[in-house]
Amino acid sequence: MAQASRDNTCPASDVCDFASPTVMHHREGGAALPAIIHHQEDLNDKKEALRGSYHKSYNIMKDAESGGDPSQQVTTYRSRFWILIVFSLMNFVLNIEWIMFGPISESMQAAFPGWDEATVTLTINFGMITYIVTFIPVCWAVQRYGLRACLLTTFGLATAGTALRCITSTTPAFTILSYLCGIAIGVASPVMLAGPPMIANEWFPVQERTTATAIMLGSHQLGGVASYLEPLIVRQPDPSVTNAAIQHDVMRLTYIGAGLAAALLLAALVYFPSKPPSSPSITSSQERFTILPALKVLVKNKKFLLLMVTYGIFVGPAVVWITVIDFSLLPLGFHQEKAMWVGLSGVMVSSLLPVVVGRLNDLLRGHTKTLLLTLMVITAAFFYWFLLLSYGILPITDWQVYVSAVGGVSFSFSTMPLFMEIAIDLVYPSPELLVTAVMVAADSVTGMIFLLLFNIPDPLYLWTTYTLTLCSSLTAVPLVAVSFPSTRMTIDTE
């Protein structure tokens, strides 16, 4: 087997050719970036050289899962499941803290003077705005200082933010502290939301990679399940319930959230290394572009830009709609306690369906695009169904509201691991954290715009339904004629 050499690599200031053996698709407009392979006929030779270098560097590895098969000399560790559990639970709690006041919006507006729909959505929007501002510096910090240091710092900041809300229930101090908490959560979000593909790549073998990513992404959505159980703690406005009693319920809720965040921060302090001692796959062992060269690759790759815009428009509105779904359900006769079960069902299914889709994608390798387009069409059908109910074209029944709303949100969310997998392959070997962070920034921008529209007076919020329908239906069209590579899978499996 040929041995890889660094004799022909570019200077340290450039992107190394050794780090990018198979990214011919980075060429855009006829001009190639430094270190991009120019000819298809070089692919097999480069791939063999890469494998040779990998096995030479890791010839002391023990094959933990392949029974000593020399063609798969990679190492996995059981501690990867601890990493998966701790990170997933952190994502779970972060989402609870982020959307805490959405499911109890009626109670917040009744008990806290000055609170209205705009205030509730702004507590959520502050996190999204902060994410957009900070995700590039945070990605640089992760590459510079390692995942562990940045995870503990950013999640520690989010934990401190949740503690701020516990100080007082008096407005406007409580309102300001809630905004500050949203900002702290936004700083933690780049690592928590963009980290799953990177952690899956660092810790899990190729046959588990998409599944692990889906579990971590799904756990974030699963946090919404707990959020939609909040009406069991916070009472709904009622003549027999005083505002002071509701405020007491809300403060108890903030105490619980802060305690959970602190416990998980402690768990990460105990054990959460940046990466395992040895790599679980060939591609995970490879050096990645630094942030600035990687950003250039992303900006110049037209397919990636198309995918990013499509993802942002398709996923963004649906992801944030579930946090304020009460506003769309109220005109259909679903008040806070009844809407809770719609939101709860939607979040539960949408946290589990990505895992099923991720596992299916791992089993049906090479059919990611077909699976993605199928899920997009199904999503559009469900949102169109909800549109017909909202406009009174179909008779409103509870089961139809449940199925259409839950189906639209769940199938929309199930596409996320597929979008991430395609995006990372398109610009490999750009850092997974940066690629995912850019994708999440795209859905954050559209989600932020979607939430800002709630400032426009509309008691029925009918604009939300046709926005969701259009965003989910039109975005599938430009992807039909575009082909996408499977770069990492090709290297790891052939």
Side-chain angles (χ1 to χ4, degrees):
M1 183 177 290
Q3 299 298 316
S5 172
R6 292 181 182 259
D7 294 342
N8 296 322
T9 56
C10 56
S13 60
D14 295 326
V15 179
C16 293
D17 180 70
F18 178 81
S20 54
T22 60
V23 283
M24 294 79 65
H25 52 276
H26 285 172
R27 296 186 57 172
E28 297 293 341
L33 293 170
I36 303 303
I37 305 302
H38 298 284
H39 302 291
Q40 175 67 40
E41 58 267 22
D42 292 339
L43 175 59
N44 292 333
D45 292 340
K46 292 289 182 178
K47 194 185 302 179
E48 289 301 314
L50 177 60
R51 285 199 182 99
S53 174
Y54 176 81
H55 292 306
K56 181 179 179 180
S57 301
Y58 293 94
N59 57 12
I60 61 172
M61 288 182 180
K62 294 181 179 180
D63 186 2
E65 295 191 353
S66 63
D69 185 352
S71 67
Q72 298 183 19
Q73 293 180 13
V74 294
T75 300
T76 56
Y77 300 86
R78 290 182 180 178
S79 56
R80 72 187 187 275
F81 297 113
W82 167 264
I83 299 298
L84 180 67
I85 291 171
V86 171
F87 192 86
S88 296
L89 289 175
M90 295 173 87
N91 245 335
F92 171 82
V93 170
L94 191 77
N95 197 23
I96 296 174
E97 303 298 331
W98 175 50
I99 67 172
M100 178 171 281
F101 301 132
I104 53 171
S105 57
E106 288 184 61
S107 298
M108 297 302 298
Q109 294 175 57
F112 290 88
W115 278 63
D116 55 16
E117 292 92 342
T119 309
V120 173
T121 56
L122 193 56
T123 61
I124 300 171
N125 235 352
F126 263 120
M128 304 181 74
I129 294 170
T130 306
Y131 174 93
I132 294 169
V133 173
T134 62
F135 80 90
I136 292 180
V138 170
C139 289
W140 172 86
V142 170
Q143 196 170 57
R144 176 67 177 82
Y145 299 107
L147 175 63
R148 175 179 171 82
C150 293
L151 176 68
L152 295 178
T153 301
T154 56
F155 195 80
L157 184 61
T159 302
T162 63
L164 287 177
R165 290 190 302 204
C166 300
I167 295 175
T168 180
S169 61
T170 304
T171 55
F174 177 77
T175 305
I176 296 172
L177 293 175
S178 296
Y179 290 158
L180 290 176
C181 180
I183 293 172
I185 289 172
V187 175
S189 293
V191 174
M192 302 309 302
L193 298 181
M198 181 185 72
I199 293 174
N201 184 73
E202 295 284 4
W203 287 89
F204 290 84
V206 61
Q207 67 270 19
E208 298 175 0
R209 195 161 54 201
T210 309
T211 306
T213 300
I215 290 173
M216 288 181 277
L217 291 174
S219 67
H220 181 79
Q221 188 73 341
L222 192 61
V225 174
S227 292
Y228 278 96
L229 291 174
E230 290 170 5
L232 300 178
I233 299 175
V234 180
R235 284 166 282 187
Q236 186 173 328
D238 187 88
S240 62
V241 180
T242 65
N243 289 345
I246 296 177
Q247 286 187 4
H248 180 269
D249 292 344
V250 171
M251 296 308 295
R252 181 172 54 178
L253 185 64
T254 62
Y255 300 151
I256 294 173
L260 290 173
L264 288 170
L265 181 61
L266 179 61
L269 279 169
V270 171
Y271 182 78
F272 203 107
S274 294
K275 60 177 65 178
S278 300
S279 301
S281 66
I282 294 176
T283 54
S284 66
S285 69
Q286 289 304 290
E287 298 174 5
R288 298 299 194 258
F289 294 151
T290 54
I291 296 301
L292 289 180
L295 284 172
K296 292 179 182 179
V297 171
L298 268 59
V299 170
K300 293 184 178 181
N301 192 307
K302 296 178 182 178
K303 287 186 178 180
F304 174 79
L305 294 177
L306 172 63
L307 188 73
M308 179 191 69
V309 173
T310 300
Y311 169 80
I313 296 174
F314 180 81
V315 173
V319 167
V320 297
W321 181 61
I322 193 65
T323 67
V324 290
I325 195 173
D326 292 30
F327 299 132
S328 297
L329 294 177
L330 188 59
L332 302 179
F334 284 67
H335 290 274
Q336 179 173 293
E337 291 186 357
K338 192 175 181 180
M340 172 189 74
W341 296 108
V342 179
L344 181 64
S345 302
V347 175
M348 177 66 78
V349 177
S350 62
S351 63
L352 299 177
L353 190 57
V355 179
V356 176
V357 171
R359 191 60 191 153
L360 187 62
N361 186 63
D362 280 336
L363 296 174
L364 302 176
R365 299 174 187 174
H367 299 281
T368 304
K369 176 186 169 183
T370 302
L371 183 57
L372 175 62
L373 290 173
T374 301
L375 295 173
M376 293 176 76
V377 171
I378 294 173
T379 301
F382 276 114
F383 280 135
Y384 182 64
W385 186 2
F386 190 83
L387 172 70
L388 297 179
L389 293 170
S390 299
Y391 277 85
I393 298 175
L394 292 178
I396 299 172
T397 57
D398 286 3
W399 76 267
Q400 289 192 85
V401 174
Y402 269 88
V403 175
S404 59
V406 171
V409 171
S410 302
F411 278 93
S412 174
F413 202 87
S414 71
T415 63
M416 291 181 70
L418 303 184
F419 271 112
M420 300 306 177
E421 188 77 5
I422 293 173
I424 293 170
D425 274 334
L426 275 173
V427 291
Y428 176 82
S430 296
E432 287 84 357
L433 182 69
L434 177 65
V435 177
T436 311
V438 171
M439 296 287 284
V440 174
D443 78 59
S444 296
V445 170
T446 55
M448 180 179 63
I449 295 172
F450 185 83
L451 290 177
L452 287 175
L453 293 176
F454 278 86
N455 291 293
I456 301 175
D458 181 2
L460 299 179
Y461 297 102
L462 292 176
W463 62 268
T464 63
T465 54
Y466 60 73
T467 299
L468 292 167
T469 304
L470 289 175
C471 287
S472 58
S473 58
L474 298 181
T475 47
V477 177
L479 297 184
V480 173
V482 180
S483 61
F484 298 109
S486 300
T487 310
R488 294 178 301 158
M489 186 183 70
T490 300
I491 298 174
D492 288 328
T493 59
E494 292 186 0

